[in-house]
Amino acid sequence: ANTVWAFATVGRSDKELFDSVANAATAKISTFNSQGLANIVWAFASVGRSDIELYYAVAQAAAAGIVNFNSRDLANTAWAFAKVSRANKKLFDTLAKATTENLGSFNPQDLANTAWAFAKVGRADKELFDALVKAATVNIINFNSQDLRDR
């Protein structure tokens, strides 16, 4: 995950590297921790890559291990799946529940990214958005201009 994160951070999406990482990561997905799962899909989404097998494997692993995700992992995973229009129902159901339960630890960027992600994939989960409204209202003074407008 760190390799593609570094390449994505500098805007490089070399096909051969990302294809190789997708294949290797898919085979070893059970060894990834929550940050590794979030980082790998963030990196792929950041450069516009959406490997079907990798995203499916991450969705399954993330849904199964969601209790280990912190606020940044939850927000980045939702953002990454939405960015490439992969609205895995089981994953987004699990993300909605975990996010609702952990909104107290979300910073303004995590709140904004999560709201954007669920809206982008057409998931208007009432309980989640009610909780997002409350959390955003409490933290609105801390939002920067990007948090207040579209992503």
Side-chain angles (χ1 to χ4, degrees), residues 37-50:
L37 293 169
N39 283 356
I40 198 160
V41 289
W42 178 91
F44 272 72
S46 291
V47 296
R49 297 188 51 91
S50 174

Side-chain angles (χ1 to χ4, degrees), residues 114-127:
T114 301
W116 176 88
F118 276 80
K120 173 91 167 59
V121 298
R123 294 291 308 265
D125 182 281
K126 182 177 176 6
E127 185 178 347

Side-chain angles (χ1 to χ4, degrees), residues 35-131:
Q35 183 179 5
L37 293 169
N39 283 356
I40 198 160
V41 289
W42 178 91
F44 272 72
S46 291
V47 296
R49 297 188 51 91
S50 174
D51 183 88
I52 293 169
E53 290 82 15
L54 175 64
Y55 273 76
Y56 179 78
V58 169
Q60 298 307 305
I66 204 75
V67 298
N68 299 312
F69 278 54
N70 65 30
S71 58
R72 179 60 46 96
D73 299 336
L74 292 167
N76 285 351
T77 301
W79 178 89
F81 273 78
K83 179 78 172 160
V84 296
S85 300
R86 294 226 174 269
N88 182 287
K89 181 178 177 355
K90 180 179 179 183
L91 175 63
F92 274 87
D93 287 347
T94 306
L95 286 169
K97 185 176 186 307
T99 297
T100 301
E101 293 170 354
N102 293 289
L103 275 177
S105 63
F106 276 54
N107 66 32
Q109 182 181 355
D110 295 338
L111 291 169
N113 285 350
T114 301
W116 176 88
F118 276 80
K120 173 91 167 59
V121 298
R123 294 291 308 265
D125 182 281
K126 182 177 176 6
E127 185 178 347
L128 172 63
F129 275 89
D130 286 349

Side-chain angles (χ1 to χ4, degrees), residues 1 3-9 11-25 39-51 54:
T3 301
V4 289
W5 178 90
F7 275 78
T9 298
R12 296 284 305 262
S13 62
D14 300 86
K15 181 177 176 8
E16 187 176 348
L17 173 68
F18 275 78
D19 287 349
S20 295
V21 169
N23 290 334
N39 283 356
I40 198 160
V41 289
W42 178 91
F44 272 72
S46 291
V47 296
R49 297 188 51 91
S50 174
D51 183 88
L54 175 64

